[in-house]
Amino acid sequence: QVQLVESGGGLVQPGGSLRLSCAASGFSLAFYAIGWFRHAPGKELEQISCMTSGNRTIYYTDNVKGRFTIFRDRAKNTMYLKMNSLKPEDTAVYYCVAEYNGTCSHEVAYWGRGTQVTVSS
């Protein structure tokens, strides 16, 4: 069964850190670009990071650059998002995705169901 399952979300104080995991099953992430989207209350769905299948091109949106890091573990068929220096405006549902053709094309092949991250004192 093909799926992506996120984990690692929760409540964290401003300035804290979280690591989100996204485990793939039924297919290999090696053949896809990987990425993370988020949907904050009152805002549009936003792609915040993407990595090509060859790990040669990595994109971060400006509001997370320098704080978030995307990476993958090929042996575990899992992708991750490490989030540091979290801010209240990072509060959102975070979704992992696999994208077609190994490129960061916004052509999503598979979506995770999302995990809630809440940054609050």
Side-chain angles (χ1 to χ4, degrees):
Q1 185 172 349
V2 173
Q3 61 180 330
L4 294 170
V5 180
E6 300 96 336
S7 62
L11 176 65
V12 63
Q13 294 187 6
S17 298
L18 285 174
R19 188 182 73 168
L20 305 183
S21 299
C22 176
S25 60
F27 74 105
S28 176
L29 291 175
F31 307 117
Y32 297 85
I34 60 170
W36 291 88
F37 284 75
R38 68 183 182 184
H39 187 201
K43 295 182 171 62
E44 291 187 353
L45 185 69
E46 176 188 27
Q47 185 165 22
I48 58 171
S49 188
C50 187
M51 175 187 290
T52 62
S53 60
N55 292 13
R56 298 301 183 188
T57 304
I58 302 172
Y59 299 100
Y60 299 98
T61 192
D62 285 344
N63 58 357
V64 309
K65 191 179 299 180
R67 299 188 298 119
F68 292 11
T69 304
I70 187 172
F71 57 102
R72 55 159 43 104
D73 185 328
R74 296 183 184 274
K76 295 181 179 179
N77 204 29
T78 299
M79 69 175 80
Y80 303 90
L81 183 70
K82 184 66 170 68
M83 305 184 293
N84 295 323
S85 301
L86 284 161
K87 304 173 181 179
E89 52 263 44
D90 295 319
T91 296
V93 178
Y94 285 73
Y95 302 89
C96 61
V97 298
E99 298 185 2
Y100 289 116
N101 302 316
T103 61
C104 297
S105 64
H106 284 228
E107 293 287 336
V108 177
Y110 305 110
W111 288 87
R113 295 183 182 273
T115 186
Q116 177 71 48
V117 173
T118 302
V119 185
S120 180
S121 298

